[in-house]
Amino acid sequence: MHNSKLKGMVGMVSKPDALIKAAETVRDAGYKKWDCHTPYPVHGLDDAMGLKESFLPFIVLGVGLLGGVGALLVQTYMNVWDYPVIIGGKDMFSWPAFVPIIFELFVLSAGFTIFGCLFAFGGFGKWAHPLHDADLMKRVTCDEFAVVLDAKDEMFNEENAKGLLERAGCFDVQPLHEKNECTESSAGGDE
Amino acid sequence: MSESTKTTPDNAGTEVMTNRNIDEAVFRPLETKPSMLWYIALSFSLALTSLFGWAAYQTVFVGIGTWGNNNPVGWGWGITNFVFWVGIGHAGTLISAILYLLRQRWRTAICRFAEAMTIVAVINALQFPLFHTGRPWLAAYWLLPLPNQNNIWINFRSPLAWDVFAVSTYFLVSLMFWYAGLVPDFASIRDRAKNGWRKLIYGLLSLGWNGSNRGWRHYEKGYLLFAGLATPLVLSVHSVVSFDFAVSVIPGWHTTIFPPYFVAGAIFSGFAMVSTIMIIVRKVCHLEHMITKDHLDLMNKVVVATSLMVGYAYSIELFIAWYSGGLYEQFAFLNRISGPYAWAYYCMVTCNVIVPQLLWFKKIRRSVLLMYPVVILVNVGMWFERFVIISSSLHADFLPSSWDYFIPTAVDVCLFLGTFGIFFTFILLFCRLAPSIATTEMKATLPSSQPHHHGGSDA
């Protein structure tokens, strides 16, 4: 452990009820930069962590509507204004015929927005996250829950963090270091 | 070492299914060497796929004339197969999106697999219109609104253009929905990996997912939104496919019943195909305790319900044709049930309406051996449905001197069989490389998985 950069403090919990209790304890202690890691979404954890509901629907609806309006404009530009063709004796601006593609492009742009938002806010694309270096975290994607206090939080210091997690009912409380410091644990992971 | 330091207080291990043994069972096929049977099946599928390669080569280098399409029957097997495959795909979206919105928890066992089927079924479907253009490498110019040197645009008032947008949107949204669902499962595989390559590949595929609840919060909402979008999308896609027919003026096609009739048929054929493949996969991958007889039972109930809808559509079509008093309409349907394609019509009615009635019996619904022939026949029947709609309406057009009978060529047959090769190859690889059961969702629905005041105590 030479000049190891401390990234945070991890503690494990094995039951969802205990996780809720631990999350409430950390929330009430006033931590801001911390997170719970779970193998599947746990109901009621957002409240216990003091998180607001996801804002995704507003972004998705907004971009979806833009996509729909865009589809109407593109179709009108191409078939009514740039190269007008009479089809079946209909009006030039026969908008009902444009509805299917308006709908499809609404869905398509909304779909891309969801996927993009998951990269921006939903935890996709975090290949280089320091948590991946901790062997402890491997249990999270199987059947255990972790509470992680980030070292960037203003309240964070090693002693307090450890005490808080233990008080919150976590076991295996460990400091989180970057990979090259944890020689012992990283050796076990590879062949 | 992490196992030894684990101090789980009351891990009695009394439950039949725990998070850990879900992982063990689902990931076993990914972490063990495949059996001889798997290699034999893969060689067979690749051999079938090579038929597609040959037929595609013939289509491109010799020409579209190698197909059996003739002057009145311009759509032949190509569009029959397109509609058939798109329909197969619909079950996946129905299971993953609609049953998700309806909170049908049993779907977790079969959704991921059915979604994978959707993806490859739509890929197969897209082959047919692409090759039907004769020059697939130029097809983008005819199908999409791209600027070109003629300064003309595609006709947005045509259902064929709607179809391009509907099917490609469907493909892309299904792909994202499927992949988003797979991400947490890939993370589980990554964290179980013992070997460096495996860790690297699944690490990349998992998009660095670490189960953060700040992530789950958006992920869950995103998943719900995907389901909410996919639901109207799946209904719109087969409706738009049916517009290809219904918006035309061909007797036998120009009917208002087509959109709901096509959607019901799509769900019908899709569920039959899910059962067809799933029955084999659960056996080969030893997943019988997760994909249980209860699941097959429920799927069979959907099959028999949609069979009745399809049967209703067949009879109302005949009734409306008679009731309309339209001479051409009446002829089209009389010709359908007693003309040169009558054999195909009765094949369709037998497979789609009569045989599935066997599924009213609980014994048959719950017996793999007895239900298997039924679902196979449904697949056959639904292919015939599309063939009947296309060929019987087209072969006798408005000018009796041009009437003709459609006979498929070897290229037609190979293209169709070849898409089954692509389908089976993909399914076999999927079963080995990705989890065929959504482990994350399965874990979330286990009895002890949620805190007590949030429904964790029940059952």
Side-chain angles (χ1 to χ4, degrees):
Chain A
M1 293 287 172
H2 45 92
N3 322 325
S4 60
K5 191 162 184 247
L6 187 64
K7 283 286 180 184
M9 189 67 71
V10 193
M12 306 301 283
V13 180
S14 64
K15 293 276 169 203
D17 285 320
L19 175 69
I20 297 287
K21 215 168 280 157
E24 284 167 351
T25 312
V26 177
R27 176 195 65 191
D28 295 340
Y31 266 84
K32 291 279 172 289
K33 288 181 179 146
W34 66 290
D35 209 339
C36 293
H37 295 257
T38 60
Y40 51 82
V42 175
H43 301 166
L45 188 55
D46 291 352
D47 289 338
M49 284 180 68
L51 297 179
K52 278 187 241 139
E53 207 175 330
S54 168
F55 46 79
L56 238 59
F58 300 101
I59 304 180
V60 172
L61 178 69
V63 181
L65 287 176
L66 281 180
V69 172
L72 174 65
L73 293 179
V74 163
Q75 293 182 84
T76 310
Y77 166 75
M78 289 177 181
N79 274 189
V80 179
W81 189 72
D82 190 50
Y83 198 98
V85 188
I86 298 173
I87 304 285
K90 302 283 194 311
D91 278 353
M92 251 334 152
F93 182 63
S94 48
W95 63 268
F98 298 157
V99 169
I101 293 181
I102 292 175
F103 172 74
E104 301 301 339
L105 282 186
F106 168 81
V107 172
L108 187 64
S109 35
F112 274 117
T113 310
I114 299 173
F115 207 69
C117 281
L118 289 180
F119 270 92
F121 320 108
F124 282 13
K126 292 190 175 154
W127 288 284
H129 201 281
L131 276 175
H132 293 308
D133 300 338
D135 264 9
L136 208 58
M137 294 303 291
K138 295 205 189 327
R139 279 143 57 181
V140 164
T141 49
C142 181
D143 59 356
E144 281 187 30
F145 310 97
V147 182
V148 179
L149 304 182
D150 196 317
K152 284 189 199 121
D153 194 285
E154 286 170 2
M155 293 177 68
F156 189 90
N157 75 55
E158 198 162 349
E159 284 307 302
N160 278 352
K162 199 171 164 78
L164 178 63
L165 286 180
E166 273 161 0
R167 203 153 16 94
C170 299
F171 56 87
D172 280 4
V173 177
Q174 285 176 12
L176 188 70
H177 297 277
E178 278 190 278
K179 179 143 185 161
N180 44 359
E181 271 81 36
C182 302
T183 42
E184 174 224 25
S185 51
S186 62
D190 289 316
E191 263 189 339
Chain B
M1 84 232 88
S2 56
E3 293 304 305
S4 57
T5 53
K6 200 170 121 184
T7 51
T8 328
D10 46 3
N11 188 7
T14 44
E15 290 164 38
V16 189
M17 270 212 273
T18 63
N19 291 333
R20 189 165 290 274
N21 60 33
I22 286 178
D23 279 1
E24 297 291 337
V26 174
F27 300 142
R28 191 195 302 122
L30 284 75
E31 292 167 349
T32 50
K33 285 240 177 330
S35 64
M36 203 54 185
L37 193 69
W38 186 83
Y39 283 110
I40 294 172
L42 187 68
S43 334
F44 174 74
S45 311
L46 287 173
L48 269 182
T49 308
S50 69
L51 292 182
F52 182 86
W54 174 78
Y57 175 86
Q58 291 293 317
T59 307
V60 169
F61 287 88
V62 181
I64 199 76
T66 55
W67 292 15
N69 296 0
N70 53 40
N71 192 6
V73 191
W75 275 8
W77 274 29
I79 304 305
T80 304
N81 298 339
F82 162 72
V83 182
F84 172 76
W85 278 117
V86 175
I88 299 283
H90 279 38
T93 319
L94 184 94
I95 291 169
S96 56
I98 301 185
L99 297 186
Y100 181 79
L101 295 181
L102 296 175
R103 295 278 184 267
Q104 296 290 310
R105 286 181 165 191
W106 61 276
R107 74 178 260 293
T108 53
I110 52 173
C111 65
R112 190 71 70 244
F113 184 82
E115 286 163 19
M117 246 185 55
T118 298
I119 306 293
V120 67
V122 177
I123 291 175
N124 277 340
L126 286 169
Q127 303 309 315
F128 290 99
L130 274 185
F131 280 99
H132 197 197
T133 63
R135 286 171 178 72
W137 59 94
L138 294 176
Y141 284 98
W142 306 320
L143 303 178
L144 299 174
L146 295 179
N148 54 65
Q149 64 267 60
N150 296 325
N151 282 320
I152 56 172
W153 299 108
I154 60 167
N155 171 21
F156 285 112
R157 296 178 185 92
S158 160
L160 298 178
W162 307 345
D163 210 7
V164 171
F165 281 86
V167 177
S168 39
T169 299
Y170 182 49
F171 175 68
L172 291 169
V173 171
S174 301
L175 191 67
M176 289 188 285
F177 191 24
W178 178 63
Y179 195 81
L182 275 171
V183 162
D185 291 354
F186 280 144
S188 298
I189 304 174
R190 171 198 67 205
D191 288 346
R192 290 166 58 88
K194 298 273 183 292
N195 135 336
W197 274 106
R198 204 179 168 76
K199 196 185 258 180
L200 177 71
I201 291 166
Y202 285 103
L204 288 172
L205 285 174
S206 71
L207 305 179
W209 181 257
N210 59 24
S212 135
N213 191 55
R214 289 175 197 269
W216 276 123
R217 179 173 58 131
H218 297 301
Y219 176 94
E220 274 216 289
K221 189 64 86 181
Y223 201 79
L224 181 69
L225 290 172
F226 262 131
L229 287 172
T231 300
L233 179 65
V234 70
L235 299 179
S236 87
V237 170
H238 231 57
S239 299
V240 167
V241 168
S242 83
F243 290 159
D244 291 346
F245 302 91
V247 174
S248 75
V249 292
I250 308 290
W253 288 2
H254 189 63
T255 59
T256 48
I257 201 177
F258 259 38
Y261 162 33
F262 267 51
V263 172
I267 293 164
F268 180 51
S269 67
F271 266 74
M273 187 59 99
V274 172
S275 292
T276 309
I277 307 291
M278 189 92 76
I279 286 171
I280 295 175
V281 169
R282 72 195 271 273
K283 189 89 200 154
V284 174
C285 299
H286 308 290
L287 297 171
E288 286 105 328
H289 62 297
M290 289 187 200
I291 305 169
T292 60
K293 289 212 166 134
D294 295 330
H295 292 108
L296 297 177
D297 190 8
L298 287 164
M299 307 238 298
N300 284 333
K301 284 180 182 166
V302 177
V303 169
V304 75
T306 42
S307 158
L308 290 176
M309 294 181 202
V310 169
Y312 172 77
Y314 296 160
S315 42
I316 209 76
E317 251 187 348
L318 292 177
F319 171 75
I320 293 293
W322 166 76
Y323 192 66
S324 71
L327 194 62
Y328 294 95
E329 196 70 13
Q330 283 173 345
F331 168 76
F333 281 92
L334 198 63
N335 184 46
R336 193 174 279 183
I337 60 173
S338 63
Y341 288 103
W343 63 273
Y345 184 82
Y346 292 109
C347 199
M348 160 189 107
V349 172
T350 312
C351 294
N352 289 351
V353 187
I354 298 170
V355 174
Q357 303 311 318
L358 289 171
L359 297 177
W360 285 100
F361 299 101
K362 194 166 188 174
K363 221 184 210 114
I364 299 177
R365 278 205 310 272
R366 299 187 69 89
S367 156
V368 171
L369 224 57
L370 292 176
M371 63 173 275
Y372 206 64
V374 177
V375 293
I376 294 275
L377 284 178
V378 171
N379 289 322
V380 174
M382 282 310 292
W383 185 86
F384 270 107
E385 181 192 298
R386 282 63 183 254
F387 178 69
V388 165
I389 290 173
I390 290 173
S391 295
S392 84
S393 285
L394 285 177
H395 89 101
D397 66 354
F398 297 101
L399 194 64
S401 64
S402 62
W403 291 7
D404 206 345
Y405 190 77
F406 175 85
I407 297 168
T409 62
V411 174
D412 277 316
V413 177
C414 288
L415 265 185
F416 183 49
L417 291 180
T419 48
F420 276 97
I422 298 174
F423 189 69
F424 293 140
T425 307
F426 183 91
I427 295 291
L428 285 166
L429 291 176
F430 175 73
C431 292
R432 298 270 333 149
L433 300 175
S436 31
I437 289 181
T439 56
T440 310
E441 289 183 38
M442 198 95 177
K443 286 173 187 172
T445 52
L446 282 185
S448 61
S449 65
Q450 300 297 346
H452 279 81
H453 58 286
H454 281 282
S457 55
D458 55 46

